[in-house]
Amino acid sequence: MVQYLCGMFVLLASALMTALVLWPVDDEVAGPPVCDGVALYPVERLAQRGDVGAMAHMGVRLSEDGCNAQARARGFEYLEQAAEAGHAEARQVLDVTEAEERAASVSSCAALLAMMMPGVDDAHLVPGACSRP
């Protein structure tokens, strides 16, 4: 009898674990984003209801370094929405971020030249190498 109960308990536990692993996760069920251990749930509710200041605040907080990639993408979405609504600080943060990305990016032509020509440290110094015909 004890062996039967133990076997049933093991089967029930494995069925529960399988259900938890395979259960679909909704974004709403996953919970609010957390960055650096601080929950932003109250502000996010305001942002979801259309508060432009809350959108800008959420965008700035979620686009910081302490957040994961999904939260950062969500932060940039909030910043874009706030900037479209006319929030000046959100537009400024987006402009600075875009300028930093442009400064940090390397053109594909320059990257190819650097790989193909071992003596070229900076492909942009080769005159006309990356100009379009």
Side-chain angles (χ1 to χ4, degrees), residues 14-70:
S14 42
L16 179 64
M17 292 303 293
T18 304
L20 289 175
V21 169
L22 298 178
W23 196 270
V25 177
D26 255 355
D27 286 338
E28 295 176 345
V29 176
V34 176
C35 298
D36 291 333
V38 177
L40 300 171
Y41 179 70
V43 180
E44 186 176 26
R45 293 224 20 209
L46 287 172
Q48 289 173 347
R49 291 182 179 163
D51 187 334
V52 177
M55 285 181 199
H57 178 76
M58 285 293 295
V60 170
R61 282 299 309 264
L62 292 176
S63 62
E64 292 175 351
D65 290 333
C67 301
N68 62 12
Q70 183 180 13

Side-chain angles (χ1 to χ4, degrees):
M1 183 69 166
V2 174
Q3 291 176 343
Y4 175 77
L5 288 176
C6 289
M8 293 305 288
F9 180 77
V10 168
L11 286 174
L12 181 62
S14 42
L16 179 64
M17 292 303 293
T18 304
L20 289 175
V21 169
L22 298 178
W23 196 270
V25 177
D26 255 355
D27 286 338
E28 295 176 345
V29 176
V34 176
C35 298
D36 291 333
V38 177
L40 300 171
Y41 179 70
V43 180
E44 186 176 26
R45 293 224 20 209
L46 287 172
Q48 289 173 347
R49 291 182 179 163
D51 187 334
V52 177
M55 285 181 199
H57 178 76
M58 285 293 295
V60 170
R61 282 299 309 264
L62 292 176
S63 62
E64 292 175 351
D65 290 333
C67 301
N68 62 12
Q70 183 180 13
R72 289 176 62 99
R74 211 162 163 191
F76 285 117
E77 289 175 11
Y78 277 127
L79 282 173
E80 289 171 0
Q81 290 174 359
E84 287 174 5
H87 197 276
E89 182 184 349
R91 171 56 41 206
Q92 183 181 13
V93 170
L94 282 174
D95 290 343
V96 168
T97 304
E98 289 171 4
E100 288 174 354
E101 287 177 359
R102 270 187 265 125
S105 68
V106 176
S107 70
S108 58
C109 175
L112 283 172
L113 275 176
M115 287 189 318
M116 300 301 283
M117 300 172 68
V120 176
D121 291 329
D122 190 1
H124 293 292
L125 297 178
V126 178
C130 290
S131 61
R132 292 188 172 167

